[in-house]
Amino acid sequence: MFNLEGLYQSDLPKRAILVYMYLSDRAGKEGQCFPSIPTIARHTKLAQNTVRRAVKDLEKGGYLLVTNRQRPNAADSSHLYTLTNAEPGW
């Protein structure tokens, strides 16, 4: 289970908390998931630019690691999001 208490007590904007909660809901046992920005925006009812700002907020706060991914044909794919605020033993 992910520790949300520190997130709630942080100075992060509400958009970042909502996106973190969405990503934690989608993450597997390793705390990773890879939804696209449009998918996150559609499910959270946020604008795509707002989601991008939220992701940057989470990265800056140390709650999220974003890794670029590419398809086998070298085309860009959605990012891999790794939640870094996991409790031990998750």
Side-chain angles (χ1 to χ4, degrees):
M1 166 153 258
F2 290 93
N3 178 5
L4 297 177
E5 192 62 35
L7 188 72
Y8 296 145
Q9 295 176 2
S10 73
D11 291 332
L12 287 171
K14 292 176 185 176
R15 66 179 178 243
I17 294 171
L18 176 58
V19 169
Y20 185 92
M21 292 174 63
Y22 175 82
L23 294 174
S24 67
D25 187 50
R26 300 303 188 267
K29 290 184 179 181
E30 265 76 73
Q32 297 180 326
C33 59
F34 44 89
S36 68
I37 294 291
T39 298
I40 298 169
R42 186 173 57 253
H43 289 174
T44 60
K45 298 187 180 2
L46 295 173
Q48 290 183 31
N49 284 336
T50 302
V51 171
R52 287 185 189 94
R53 285 193 303 273
V55 167
K56 288 184 189 290
D57 293 336
L58 291 167
E59 281 184 289
K60 186 177 177 182
Y63 291 92
L64 189 65
L65 176 64
V66 180
T67 306
N68 291 327
R69 297 183 329 134
Q70 289 190 325
R71 293 185 174 101
N73 67 358
D76 289 336
S77 183
S78 62
H79 291 97
L80 174 66
Y81 300 105
T82 304
L83 303 172
T84 59
N85 193 27
E87 291 183 17
W90 202 88

